[in-house]
Amino acid sequence: MNGEIISIGHELLMGEIVDTNSSYFAQRLAEAGVAVRWFTSAGDDLGDICEVIERALGRSEVTITSGGLGPTSDDLTREAVARVLGEEMKVDPGLLAWLEGVFKQRGIAMPKTNIKQATLIPSAATVPNPTGTAPGWWVTRGGRHMVLTPGPPREVQRMWEETIGPKLARITGAGVVFTRTLKTYGITEGGIDEMLTDLFGKANPYLGIYARPDGIHLRIISKAPTRAEAEKLAAPLERDIADRLGAAVWGTDDDTPASKVISLLAAQGRTLAVADAATGG
């Protein structure tokens, strides 16, 4: 399946915030069996949002949007999708009760402007948002899927992990996705590409290469019906890379240079003292 990511908000176009949601979605979509082909950003303009929504629905089987689900007049993503699909937004009683409960739990009265966050269109189902007041929409039309999410990354990531990711994996038939990142240093990206050239270009397991501040990262992605099978599928590729690159591989996954230094010191029973002689801390 091919995918598209749409980020919405004037603050993105003005460079006031960094769009981390798009990079997060791109990684997660790949793991769920969706190949991202387009990134689009649009400001808080109804016409502009309608234009990018209509284009996405015409060419992408899966579209993820972030932003524009707040309660204010410039939050227009729902309105744009409703207009493009020719459907009417109506308040869902269950959503409204949930939203009122969120505000009651916080000990504050719910402004009337928030009511639009409890609306749906006939083609949309709710995507729960456990940490915010903006539920998402999962819109299905003609075999295509458009998922609307809010802007805050903390809300987006939990919605993906608990609802969007698992549902999308079931739709695509991706099963369980296992990832392993090997972190290297001392060899250029081009050098690694030459050393591992025959390992790239395969679908399962897939091998990607990325330049990062702490070196060149290699990401293995494997898919199988169970996690154990997915790990087993990735293991030979991981061993092959380790054999070819040797000591250039300094860490995996969440390892950092600092955590590796601490592990090495602990293994040797050594301690580390740090002194700041310039600024006095």
Side-chain angles (χ1 to χ4, degrees):
M1 301 180 79
N2 65 322
E4 184 159 350
I5 298 169
I6 300 174
S7 301
I8 297 166
H10 277 320
E11 64 275 13
L12 296 170
L13 301 183
M14 297 293 291
E16 295 174 356
I17 64 171
V18 177
D19 180 15
T20 58
N21 285 340
S22 288
S23 60
Y24 175 82
F25 282 140
Q27 294 177 49
R28 301 287 87 80
L29 284 166
E31 294 171 358
V34 178
V36 177
R37 297 185 61 189
W38 296 281
F39 282 83
T40 306
S41 294
D44 299 308
D45 178 88
L46 186 59
D48 291 344
I49 301 172
C50 284
E51 180 182 339
V52 298
I53 294 290
E54 187 169 16
R55 187 168 62 230
L57 285 171
R59 67 187 182 185
S60 300
E61 295 167 283
V62 177
T63 300
I64 305 286
T65 77
S66 65
L69 298 188
T72 60
S73 58
D74 62 345
D75 290 308
L76 298 167
T77 305
R78 298 183 198 85
E79 289 82 350
V81 172
R83 176 177 292 190
V84 169
L85 295 181
E87 299 184 14
E88 183 182 354
M89 293 168 53
K90 292 185 178 181
V91 175
D92 180 87
L95 265 182
L96 182 59
W98 169 82
L99 191 58
E100 290 172 339
V102 171
F103 278 91
K104 184 177 181 179
Q105 192 174 35
R106 295 178 180 181
I108 56 178
M110 188 183 83
K112 290 185 179 180
T113 54
N114 285 83
I115 292 177
K116 77 170 185 174
Q117 293 183 302
T119 59
L120 286 174
I121 58 175
S123 296
T126 303
V127 179
N129 180 354
T131 53
T133 63
W137 281 10
W138 191 300
V139 179
T140 306
R141 172 71 77 91
R144 298 182 183 274
H145 303 271
M146 176 170 282
V147 185
L148 280 55
T149 70
R154 184 171 67 96
E155 297 178 23
V156 163
Q157 291 172 20
R158 184 166 175 185
M159 291 169 73
W160 180 276
E161 292 167 1
E162 296 185 1
T163 304
I164 302 170
K167 182 176 179 179
L168 199 55
R170 289 194 297 270
I171 291 171
T172 62
V176 175
V177 178
F178 172 77
T179 64
R180 171 77 78 212
T181 299
L182 304 181
K183 302 181 177 182
T184 76
Y185 192 79
I187 306 177
T188 65
E189 186 174 5
I192 289 178
D193 184 73
E194 289 182 359
M195 295 172 72
L196 306 179
T197 185
D198 59 305
L199 303 181
F200 294 105
K202 299 177 182 178
N204 192 24
Y206 167 84
L207 180 63
I209 183 169
Y210 314 94
R212 294 289 186 267
D214 57 1
I216 306 302
H217 291 191
L218 293 160
R219 194 173 196 210
I220 301 170
I221 302 175
S222 59
K223 304 169 187 176
T226 67
R227 180 177 176 84
E229 290 175 287
E231 287 187 33
K232 185 176 181 180
L233 192 63
L237 179 57
E238 183 177 353
R239 288 194 297 269
D240 195 357
I241 293 170
D243 289 342
R244 298 192 197 190
L245 300 186
V249 178
W250 63 265
T252 61
D253 296 334
D254 295 328
D255 286 339
T256 66
S259 70
K260 291 299 291 184
V261 168
I262 292 170
S263 297
L264 290 169
L265 289 170
Q268 297 176 32
R270 299 188 179 189
T271 58
L272 175 68
V274 179
D276 184 346
T279 66

